[in-house]
């Protein structure tokens, strides 16, 4: 083959190929599934090494097998990180639509709003990002319509004419935290209680028993709205319940921090990726399940005498926080296992309504798994993310703690 002629001195450098290449999403999904299969096969090697040692294999062989397993672990971890890195996309693609949306909506409602965007470079798996767009649009519209006051109202409250709206994204552990914060009128728990009674969602007696945090959760009830009239922006009774449902599909949760007159912050906790996850294997009764590490906050043993029965459930003080307890086997419709005895093993997880405690029988250790969706013929199963195959070939179900809260039973 003839050699390429040398470039003349001072000539412009030759153009190189583009550093990026378009790849179909289906190919990336297939590659992710194949890496997941590799993770499943990898998980079988420690079992094979233990079996070889138990069967009396030569110590040198067992040692070499374990060394090879460690090398395979390093390689597959690096491959998994690379594949997930390819699938990740910055949230900038979703955030970039909001400056114009905020500007147009503020003008139509007679508001003055200054939008601040932070952390737009934070990367999220594309399927998660696709489910994020609609909830964010609804939360931003609500912040301008219901949260930020008119300039006259803000002046009367001693605030600047222009309200502040902040859209922030950041990594939080192995997941992603997105915040939508405004400095508007905030959520008034008493007004929310009255509105719930007017809408027929609660009786007056039941509403009076709600604490402020519980009253704020009323905005997630189907059909709930504080709008006085139906407009193009609000008042149609379709909103925050749909936001929570969309987030639950990708194992996301939403929390509220608000005070009257001081503004409202919505915090969305999302997994960075859905397909390949690290989880904790938990046993409830005779069955084994996986809870993603993204939503598992703690595993703790509590003495039985620290558990208290209250109207509608069971609570216990766990590391200074009062948590509602739910027996996992009963919540999943399984036959109740034996009594926990003097100590209860509790997995503290993030549920649809905040942290809750799942009473389990055993903790079986961590596992890296590929979550496969369940067949659509099974119907809606909000308490399950999907299924996964362990290294020994067993099929286990992966729990969605955001949907599990709607099925919970007292411990």
């Amino acid at each position: 083959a003839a050699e390429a002629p040398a470039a003349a001195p001072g000539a412009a450098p030759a153009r190189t190929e583009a550093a990026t290449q378009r790849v179909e999403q289906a190919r990336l999904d297939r590659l992710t599934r194949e890496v997941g299969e590799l993770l499943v096969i990898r998980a079988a090697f420690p079992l094979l090494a233990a079996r070889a040692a138990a069967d009396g294999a030569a110590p040198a062989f067992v040692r070499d097998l374990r060394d090879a397993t460690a090398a395979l672990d390093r390689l597959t971890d690096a491959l998994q990180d690379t594949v997930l890195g390819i699938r990740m996309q910055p949230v900038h693609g979703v955030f970039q639509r909001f400056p114009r949306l905020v500007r147009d909506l503020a003008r139509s409602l007679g508001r003055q709003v200054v939008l601040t965007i932070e952390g737009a470079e934070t990367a999220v798996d594309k399927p998660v990002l696709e489910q994020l767009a609609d909830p964010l649009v609804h939360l931003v519209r609500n912040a301008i319509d219901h949260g930020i006051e008119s300039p006259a109202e803000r002046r009367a409250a001693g605030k600047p004419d222009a309200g502040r709206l902040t859209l922030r994204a950041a990594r939080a552990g192995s997941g992603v935290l997105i915040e939508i914060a405004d400095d508007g009128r905030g959520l008034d728990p008493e007004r929310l209680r009255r509105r719930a009674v007017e809408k027929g969602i609660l009786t007056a007696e039941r509403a009076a028993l709600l604490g402020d945090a519980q009253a704020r959760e009323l905005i997630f009830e189907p059909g709930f709205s504080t709008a006085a009239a139906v407009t193009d922006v609000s008042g149609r009774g379709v909103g925050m319940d749909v936001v929570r449902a969309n987030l639950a599909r990708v194992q996301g949760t939403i929390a509220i921090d608000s005070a009257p007159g001081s503004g409202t912050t919505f915090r969305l906790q999302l997994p960075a990726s859905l397909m390949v996850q690290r989880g904790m294997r938990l046993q409830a009764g005779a069955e084994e399940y996986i809870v993603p590490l993204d939503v598992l906050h703690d595993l703790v043993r509590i003495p039985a005498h620290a558990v208290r029965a209250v109207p509608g459930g069971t609570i216990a003080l766990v590391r200074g926080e009062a948590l509602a307890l739910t027996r996992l086997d009963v919540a999943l419709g399984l036959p109740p296992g034996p009594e926990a005895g003097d100590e209860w093993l509790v997995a503290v997880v993030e549920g649809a309504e905040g942290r809750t405690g799942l009473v389990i029988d055993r903790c079986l250790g961590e596992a890296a798994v590929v979550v496969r969706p369940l067949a659509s013929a099974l119907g809606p199963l909000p308490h399950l993310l999907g299924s996964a195959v362990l290294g020994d070939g067993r099929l286990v179900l992966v729990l969605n703690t955001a949907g599990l809260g709607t099925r919970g039973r007292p411990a």
Side-chain angles (χ1 to χ4, degrees):
E3 294 184 359
R15 293 182 62 184
T16 59
E17 293 185 3
T20 61
Q21 180 176 347
R22 292 181 179 273
V23 179
E24 295 178 358
Q25 183 65 36
R27 293 189 178 186
L28 287 179
D29 291 343
R30 179 180 175 183
L31 178 59
T32 305
R33 287 193 296 270
E34 290 172 348
V35 171
E37 297 293 342
L38 184 59
L39 291 174
V40 173
I41 295 172
R42 177 190 73 173
F45 277 78
L47 301 176
L48 294 175
R51 186 182 303 171
D55 291 344
F61 171 77
V62 175
R63 183 175 61 252
D64 291 343
L65 181 58
R66 286 174 174 160
D67 290 344
T69 300
L72 181 62
D73 284 346
R74 292 191 294 270
L75 180 60
T76 50
D77 285 342
L79 182 59
Q80 176 186 344
D81 291 342
T82 300
V83 171
L84 291 182
I86 295 173
R87 291 174 57 93
M88 295 291 192
Q89 295 186 1
V91 296
H92 170 74
V94 173
F95 281 9
Q96 66 182 356
R97 72 177 65 181
F98 289 107
R100 180 174 180 177
L101 173 66
V102 169
R103 183 173 61 250
D104 293 347
L105 189 58
R107 183 183 299 117
S108 67
L109 294 174
R111 309 281 200 272
Q112 295 181 22
V113 182
V114 176
L115 174 65
T116 302
I117 294 178
E118 302 174 3
E121 71 284 354
T122 305
V124 185
D125 200 355
K126 185 179 179 181
V128 178
L129 204 59
E130 291 172 347
Q131 290 288 339
L132 182 62
D134 289 344
L136 282 183
V137 168
H138 189 86
L139 290 170
V140 168
R141 289 165 68 94
N142 267 10
I144 299 174
D145 188 25
H146 296 294
I148 296 177
E149 312 93 332
S150 67
E153 289 177 295
R154 293 181 64 84
R155 283 194 296 271
K159 298 180 181 180
D161 288 2
R164 295 194 310 272
L165 179 62
T166 302
L167 195 56
R168 181 183 301 112
R171 292 304 299 266
S174 58
V176 174
L177 176 67
I178 295 181
E179 293 184 345
I180 303 93
D182 67 73
D183 67 343
R185 58 176 58 92
L187 294 174
D188 183 353
E190 188 55 40
R191 183 183 178 216
L192 295 175
R193 293 185 188 97
R194 289 197 306 268
R195 194 63 175 170
V197 174
E198 294 170 3
K199 288 281 188 178
I201 296 174
L202 292 176
T203 63
E205 294 76 12
R206 175 60 180 160
L209 296 175
L210 295 181
D212 288 352
Q214 293 172 310
R216 287 192 287 267
E217 293 286 326
L218 288 171
I219 66 173
F220 296 111
E221 291 293 326
F224 186 88
S225 175
T226 57
V230 177
T231 68
D232 291 338
V233 180
S234 62
R236 292 164 293 172
V238 178
M240 295 302 293
D241 58 320
V242 177
V243 168
R244 174 170 273 178
N246 285 351
L247 293 174
R249 291 193 188 103
V250 291
Q251 201 200 337
T253 60
I254 181 170
I256 311 170
D257 184 11
S258 180
S262 299
T264 302
T265 299
F266 289 96
R267 292 185 174 87
L268 281 59
Q269 188 76 41
L270 299 158
S273 175
L274 287 178
M275 295 193 69
V276 180
Q277 296 194 16
R278 297 198 66 84
M280 188 67 72
R281 297 160 53 204
L282 307 177
Q283 183 175 330
E287 301 296 332
E288 181 177 338
Y289 299 92
I290 290 180
V291 170
L293 289 182
D294 290 341
V295 298
L296 180 63
H297 291 280
D298 204 353
L299 278 167
V300 61
R301 291 187 180 275
I302 59 176
H305 63 77
V307 179
R308 294 287 183 269
V310 296
T314 309
I315 64 170
L317 198 64
V318 179
R319 302 196 191 280
E321 181 181 6
L323 293 180
L325 301 184
T326 301
R327 284 188 62 111
L328 182 57
D329 50 9
V330 179
L332 295 173
L334 303 174
E339 292 297 326
D342 294 336
E343 281 191 331
W344 291 27
L345 180 58
V346 177
V348 181
V349 299
E350 191 71 31
E353 301 176 356
R355 292 188 184 182
T356 187
L358 298 178
V359 180
I360 60 175
D361 294 319
R362 293 176 62 198
C363 176
L364 304 173
E366 291 188 25
V369 295
V370 177
V371 181
R372 294 178 173 83
L374 298 173
S376 58
L378 295 175
L381 296 170
H383 58 295
L384 296 177
L385 281 177
S387 62
V389 179
L390 298 180
D392 56 5
R394 289 183 298 114
L395 186 71
V396 295
L397 296 174
V398 183
L399 297 177
N400 180 6
T401 57
L404 188 63
T406 62
R407 298 173 48 89
R409 299 289 188 275

